[in-house]
Amino acid sequence: MKRSLSGLALVALPLALAACARTATPPEGHDLSGTLAGTSAWSAPRFALVGTGIPNIFTNRGNLSQSTAPATGGLNFGVDLPVLPDVAGVYQVVAYNDTDGSGTYTIGEPFARNRQWLIFSPAGGDIPAVSLPEQLPWAGGEEALPAMKVSRGWNLYDRSQPLGTANPRPAAKVTGYDISR
């Protein structure tokens, strides 16, 4: 009996060591990655998928797989997008200082965002113009998306670029989703 337990231990030890040797996913290994700048005073930067679904269902998901790494002038970050968000809609990944330690963006916490919108559609095709509710602190009521054609799944729309065949674009892997305060 002692011999079989010893043999089992010899088999189990390398497996246990291999499990301990696994490293966290680097930022660029996530679905969406970029650089966070201008938040050096933040004690606990986190990332959340926030937005509004159709018809006006508010989403605030801070439990996404995410990682950071120090970078010149800020942090490199990576976030995994959910396969299916709560509903079809318009979202952004925002950085926030998790001052209350909740792991979810709480209204009043400092946040940073960019001008790139993530649009989730369960089916490709034309979507109508979308106005975001004024009560969303990162939207400010002035944000509105024009009518556009999207692909099934996640799409990336960059408001700083003209609407066209490459904007919005399918967003299976997004790099350069830079955020600054």
Side-chain angles (χ1 to χ4, degrees):
M1 191 70 166
K2 285 183 184 178
R3 195 174 286 250
S4 64
L5 289 176
S6 299
L8 182 60
L10 288 175
V11 170
L13 182 60
L15 294 174
L17 291 174
C20 291
R22 290 185 187 144
T23 59
T25 303
E28 62 276 2
H30 289 276
D31 298 334
L32 182 138
S33 62
T35 302
L36 172 62
T39 58
S40 58
W42 288 8
S43 60
R46 299 272 306 153
F47 301 87
L49 180 71
V50 296
T52 187
I54 299 168
N56 293 328
I57 298 171
F58 177 68
T59 297
N60 180 358
R61 294 180 79 173
N63 62 345
L64 306 171
S65 175
Q66 52 193 274
S67 63
T68 59
T72 304
L75 285 174
N76 288 334
F77 72 91
V79 174
D80 283 336
L81 298 173
V83 174
L84 292 172
D86 295 334
V87 293
V90 180
Y91 304 91
Q92 281 190 304
V93 169
V94 299
Y96 65 98
N97 192 15
D98 192 14
T99 56
D100 66 4
S102 68
T104 300
Y105 171 72
T106 304
I107 292 178
E109 289 178 324
F111 69 92
R113 68 184 188 106
N114 61 24
R115 308 255 314 150
Q116 297 179 46
W117 291 94
L118 295 160
I119 302 163
F120 183 81
S121 177
D126 295 323
I127 61 169
V130 177
S131 295
L132 300 176
E134 288 187 33
Q135 64 268 28
L136 299 178
W138 54 88
E142 87 283 349
E143 300 281 351
L145 300 181
M148 63 181 73
K149 183 179 277 308
V150 295
S151 297
R152 180 176 181 220
W154 287 104
N155 295 267
L156 180 68
Y157 171 62
D158 187 341
R159 286 185 50 100
S160 68
Q161 301 298 316
L163 188 63
T165 57
N167 190 31
R169 64 177 172 83
K173 181 93 169 163
V174 176
T175 58
Y177 195 86
D178 299 334
I179 299 173
S180 63
R181 183 138 166 92

